[in-house]
């Protein structure tokens, strides 16, 4: 044991001598599906080639809800990884306040992040008390309706161009033996669907008032009541989709068993893997065709505080690498998300991604729900909406009353 | 009485006492200390990190006005009562059947006990597939020609908890059977002979003679089943994830969800304190009757 340790120490010194302070850095994330894994491999490749440090992949399977508790307990438990993915917003608020996350302000100022990161709200949600604590790496948006052209053809109705037309086409889809709207059983999908309806039908201002200002009057008002009525329609349309995961629901659309799905732009990766062509096989409607706007959800990397100077240096190198233009392009093309830099060119982007880029260029963006709500509130919303979408005995009025309670409790 | 006549009680069996110090410390620090800490922090508004910022009974107010918690409790009650009664009945009947000096007893015993070797996660996944209407029992029966056959407990909010119960029973009845079998083997053959001579029917012998004699065995089984009931979590996660909707939520999952998903430690602590309280309310009177009484007999 002792000699083994000595050997290890010796080899560390040797390694250190060979490459000036090359460190191993463990990076945890929850990108495990095919497209996601390919995208994160781009980061690893670029990081190892450009800096000479070693990327130790710490993928955690099971999605963010499984991965985040593990990450948080490792950081609070005193066993921090070198870098970790989170959704920027309020998920890490307390970790930053407790001084467990590394301050990246110096690097950000040196490289001028504020000049090229677009929209700047991305950087704002990484900022606490004027200091920057994370690197946003992509933009994902929730407000998309994915429609199967073939399903509507089978039902003998034209492919809808907005939500109302879609609702009107639902009976025809049913008659043709199809599920009008695919929805998986995971709670976050139900609340996500509702939030998208809210943006599309009541407008982004209402959402910001409700979740941002916690305005209970607006939450109890007629605009939200209309959204709940629409959610009731949506609930009717989702009957019969016995799937759990979001990609299984997307698969119902891909295989033309369902008319459509409301899901973030990460669903696009599934269409791509299945070899479907945007515009021919499927149609995407940003903002449900009602209100063309996209939220700036997305992923960001955080760097927990560490004493090891080598790891500290590798952390900065990684942060810098992730934002380089060529890395941004390579990563986002594989991920199906939009780059955080306004100055890169996405030649290979498909129709739907282009729509997203246009909306982004026009500045029609809004904050993500994650940036406004704490995880606690999001979790309560998940519980409410997963119950609402699965239990037809809950009326829109009852659900709205509970919605108002949650908003009143939120901080 | 002079002091030296009787050795100090504290130093009797000294080595045994020293040996049990680690366990005593563990019990005190980890169980009692942890429990106390949890209860104290359940009165705070701790979010992701524990903070001593007292808010009185706010967490409990919120807990009892949350429909997810109420549904969790109802589910636990239904699951608990059914699980307790059915595992005891199934376990005992299987044991009694095996006790009839049948052939291949070892083989049967192994088969019945085998599910217990699987973790709850594996059990849950297996039953999720069996009960899935598109692959499992329903699709097989429909494939055989009964087109209108409907059996999808995991997708029906009204009966989903019974879908979980089936898996729980399948997993744990084997163990209860083994304990019962051991108990039955412990009954003196003479008692059976005496009962037979008196012309008492077999079922009456079981019900009125054998079962009362097996009281300690039943208590062991009861404790094992109850701890399994209170901590049921992984089975639900693997089978339904709490769905459809929130129809199959259980208290242990509520605690986990609020502590780790919602980053709201205070709420999770309040829920776990309520779970502890419920257990105490059941255990204390029972323990008092069971152990308190015996002491008096001396």
């Amino acid at each position: 044991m002792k000699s083994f340790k000595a050997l290890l120490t010796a080899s560390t010194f040797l390694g250190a001598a060979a490459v000036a302070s090359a460190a191993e850095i463990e990076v945890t994330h929850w990108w495990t599906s095919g497209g996601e894994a390919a995208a994160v491999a781009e980061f690893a490749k670029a990081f190892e080639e450009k800096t000479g440090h070693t990327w130790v992949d710490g993928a955690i399977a099971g999605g963010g809800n499984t991965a985040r508790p593990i990450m948080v307990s490792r950081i609070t438990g005193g066993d921090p990884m070198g870098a970790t993915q989170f959704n920027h917003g309020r998920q890490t608020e307390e970790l930053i306040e407790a001084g467990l996350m590394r301050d990246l302000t110096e690097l950000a100022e040196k490289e001028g992040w504020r000049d090229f990161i677009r929209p700047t709200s991305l950087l704002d949600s990484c900022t606490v008390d004027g200091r920057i604590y994370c690197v946003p790496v992509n933009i994902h948006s929730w407000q998309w309706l994915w429609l199967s052209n073939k399903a509507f053809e089978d039902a003998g109705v034209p492919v809808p161009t907005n939500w109302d037309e879609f609702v009107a086409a639902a009976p025809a889809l049913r008659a043709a033996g199809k599920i009008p709207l695919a929805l998986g059983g995971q709670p976050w999908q139900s609340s996500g669907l509702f939030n998208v309806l809210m943006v599309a039908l009541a407008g982004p201002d209402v959402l910001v008032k409700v979740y941002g200002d916690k305005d209970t009057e607006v939450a109890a008002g007629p605009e939200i009541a209309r959204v709940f009525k629409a959610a009731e329609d949506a609930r009717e349309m989702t009957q019969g989709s016995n799937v759990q995961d979001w990609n299984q629901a997307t698969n119902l659309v891909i295989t033309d068993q369902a008319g459509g799905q409301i899901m973030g732009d990460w669903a696009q990766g599934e269409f791509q893997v299945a070899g479907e062509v945007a515009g021919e096989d499927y149609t995407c409607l940003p903002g449900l065709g009602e209100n063309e706007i996209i939220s700036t959800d997305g992923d960001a990397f955080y760097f927990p505080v560490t004493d090891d100077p080598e790891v500290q240096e590798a952390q900065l190198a990684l942060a810098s690498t992730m934002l380089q233009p060529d890395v941004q392009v390579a990563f986002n093309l594989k991920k199906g998300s939009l780059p955080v830099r306004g100055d890169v060119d996405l030649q290979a982007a498909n129709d739907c991604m282009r729509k997203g880029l246009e909306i982004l260029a026009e500045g029609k963006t809004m904050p993500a729900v994650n940036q406004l709500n704490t995880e606690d509130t999001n979790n309560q919303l998940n519980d409410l909406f997963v119950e609402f979408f699965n239990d037809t005995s809950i009326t829109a009025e009852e659900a709205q009353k509970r919605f108002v309670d949650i908003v009143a409790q939120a901080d | 009485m002079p002091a030296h006549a009787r050795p100090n009680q504290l130093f009797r069996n000294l080595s045994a006492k020293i040996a049990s110090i680690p366990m005593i410390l563990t019990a005190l620090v980890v169980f009692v200390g942890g429990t106390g800490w949890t209860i104290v922090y359940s009165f705070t508004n701790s979010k992701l990190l524990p903070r001593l910022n007292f808010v009185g009974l706010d967490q409990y107010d919120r807990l009892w006005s949350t429909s997810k918690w109420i549904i969790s409790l109802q589910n636990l009650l239904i699951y608990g009562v059914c699980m307790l009664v059915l595992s005891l009945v199934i376990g005992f009947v299987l044991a009694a059947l095996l006790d009839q000096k049948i052939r291949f007893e070892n083989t049967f015993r192994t088969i019945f006990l085998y599910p217990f070797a699987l973790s709850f996660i594996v059990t849950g996944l297996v039953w999720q597939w069996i009960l899935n209407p598109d692959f499992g029992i329903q699709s097989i029966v429909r494939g055989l020609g009964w087109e209108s056959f409907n059996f999808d407990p995991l997708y029906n909010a009204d009966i989903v908890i019974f879908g979980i119960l089936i898996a729980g029973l399948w997993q744990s009845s084997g163990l209860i059977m083994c304990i019962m079998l051991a108990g039955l083997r412990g009954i003196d053959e003479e008692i059976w002979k005496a009962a037979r001579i008196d012309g008492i029917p077999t079922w009456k012998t079981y019900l009125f003679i054998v079962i009362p004699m097996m009281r300690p065995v039943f208590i062991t089984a009861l404790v094992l089943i109850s701890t399994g009931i209170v901590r049921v979590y992984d089975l639900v996660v693997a089978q339904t994830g709490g769905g459809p909707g929130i129809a199959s939520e259980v208290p242990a999952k509520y605690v986990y969800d609020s502590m780790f998903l919602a980053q709201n430690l205070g709420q999770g602590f309040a829920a776990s304190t309520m779970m502890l309280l419920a257990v105490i309310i059941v255990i204390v009177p029972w323990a008092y009757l069971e152990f308190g009484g015996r002491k008096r007999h001396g």
Side-chain angles (χ1 to χ4, degrees), chain A residues 122-139:
Chain A
L122 284 179
L123 207 52
D124 293 340
S125 53
C126 280
T127 310
V128 175
D129 295 332
R131 312 296 292 176
I132 293 168
Y133 290 91
C134 68
V135 185
V137 293
N138 61 8
I139 303 167

Side-chain angles (χ1 to χ4, degrees), chain A residues 107-128:
Chain A
L107 180 76
E109 278 170 0
K110 199 178 86 195
E111 298 194 340
W113 289 3
R114 203 158 275 284
D115 303 331
F116 61 74
I117 288 183
R118 152 224 69 168
T120 43
S121 68
L122 284 179
L123 207 52
D124 293 340
S125 53
C126 280
T127 310
V128 175

Side-chain angles (χ1 to χ4, degrees), chain A residues 141-145 163 189-204 207 211 227 261-264 266 285-291 293 295 297 366 369:
Chain A
S141 47
W142 245 110
Q143 293 72 22
W144 296 84
L145 175 58
W163 174 252
Q189 295 179 39
S190 303
S191 57
L193 195 161
F194 179 84
N195 291 337
V196 172
L197 283 175
M198 190 181 345
V199 174
L201 303 177
L207 183 134
Y211 291 149
V227 179
Q261 183 193 16
I262 292 178
M263 185 46 59
W266 46 90
L285 296 177
L288 309 187
E290 303 274 347
N291 213 334
I293 187 162
S295 64
D297 286 85
M366 54 173 289
V369 172

Side-chain angles (χ1 to χ4, degrees), chain A residues 29-41 246 266 331 334-335:
Chain A
H29 56 85
W30 58 84
W31 287 327
T32 48
S33 85
E36 290 171 338
V40 78
W246 67 269
W266 46 90
F331 170 78
K334 293 243 163 100
K335 184 82 169 71

Side-chain angles (χ1 to χ4, degrees), chain A residues 6-248:
Chain A
L7 200 71
L8 262 182
T9 326
S11 63
T12 315
F13 281 127
L14 278 177
V19 186
S21 68
E24 284 193 348
I25 178 166
E26 188 191 356
V27 188
T28 52
H29 56 85
W30 58 84
W31 287 327
T32 48
S33 85
E36 290 171 338
V40 78
E42 291 291 335
F43 272 152
K45 202 176 82 191
F47 176 64
E48 296 195 335
E49 277 171 11
K50 292 186 181 206
T51 67
H53 297 295
T54 311
W55 168 293
V56 180
D57 200 72
I60 302 171
N65 281 352
T66 313
R68 275 193 297 272
I70 299 172
M71 293 166 174
V72 168
S73 56
R74 277 193 57 187
I75 296 169
T76 53
D79 176 30
M81 60 298 280
T84 182
Q85 175 200 3
F86 275 107
N87 300 115
H88 48 239
R90 302 185 64 179
Q91 285 170 359
T92 46
E93 210 171 49
E94 278 198 75
L95 291 175
I96 293 171
E97 281 167 13
L100 292 167
M101 289 299 186
R102 182 151 180 214
D103 184 349
L104 302 170
T105 316
E106 235 171 84
L107 180 76
E109 278 170 0
K110 199 178 86 195
E111 298 194 340
W113 289 3
R114 203 158 275 284
D115 303 331
F116 61 74
I117 288 183
R118 152 224 69 168
T120 43
S121 68
L122 284 179
L123 207 52
D124 293 340
S125 53
C126 280
T127 310
V128 175
D129 295 332
R131 312 296 292 176
I132 293 168
Y133 290 91
C134 68
V135 185
V137 293
N138 61 8
I139 303 167
H140 269 308
S141 47
W142 245 110
Q143 293 72 22
W144 296 84
L145 175 58
W146 308 92
L147 298 165
S148 158
N149 290 1
K150 174 87 172 19
F152 286 95
E153 201 180 290
D154 290 351
V157 284
V159 178
T161 55
N162 61 38
W163 174 252
D164 289 336
E165 285 179 29
F166 184 33
V167 176
L173 286 166
R174 277 271 182 235
K178 301 194 183 293
I179 306 158
L181 184 65
L183 174 69
Q186 290 167 334
W188 59 270
Q189 295 179 39
S190 303
S191 57
L193 195 161
F194 179 84
N195 291 337
V196 172
L197 283 175
M198 190 181 345
V199 174
L201 303 177
D205 301 340
V206 171
L207 183 134
V208 173
K209 261 186 214 146
V210 173
Y211 291 149
D213 307 335
K214 317 291 179 208
D215 189 332
T216 46
E217 260 172 56
V218 176
E223 281 156 316
I224 297 292
R226 188 181 156 222
V227 179
F228 269 99
K229 279 286 169 216
E232 232 175 17
D233 293 339
R235 178 168 73 185
E236 228 16 77
M237 290 160 71
T238 59
Q239 295 304 315
S241 48
N242 280 350
V243 290
Q244 274 292 319
D245 296 339
W246 67 269
N247 48 337
Q248 292 172 328

Side-chain angles (χ1 to χ4, degrees), chain A residues 65 94 376 383 387 390 402, chain B residues 47-48 62 67 261 264:
Chain A
N65 281 352
E94 278 198 75
D376 190 21
D383 291 342
E387 195 183 353
N390 282 284
R402 284 169 56 185
Chain B
K47 292 283 184 192
L48 178 63
R62 179 172 148 190
S67 67
L261 289 188
N264 189 341

Side-chain angles (χ1 to χ4, degrees), chain A residues 64-66 68-69 72-73 76 86 90-92 94-95 97-98 100 185 187 242-244 374-377 379-380 383 386-387 390 402 409 411, chain B residues 46-49 51 62 65-68 71 128 132-134 152 155 157 240-241 243-246 249 254 256-258 260-264 267:
Chain A
N65 281 352
T66 313
R68 275 193 297 272
V72 168
S73 56
T76 53
F86 275 107
R90 302 185 64 179
Q91 285 170 359
T92 46
E94 278 198 75
L95 291 175
E97 281 167 13
L100 292 167
N242 280 350
V243 290
Q244 274 292 319
T374 60
E375 281 296 282
D376 190 21
T377 310
N379 209 47
Q380 284 179 289
D383 291 342
V386 78
E387 195 183 353
N390 282 284
R402 284 169 56 185
Q409 277 176 11
D411 60 318
Chain B
S46 301
K47 292 283 184 192
L48 178 63
L49 303 171
R51 285 200 185 123
R62 179 172 148 190
S65 61
T66 305
S67 67
K68 186 177 166 184
I71 289 173
Q128 190 203 345
N132 186 310
D134 298 331
D152 57 346
Y155 291 91
T240 64
I246 54 173
E249 294 286 345
Y254 185 93
Y256 177 87
D257 285 356
S258 35
F260 299 106
L261 289 188
Q263 303 183 346
N264 189 341
Q267 184 66 25

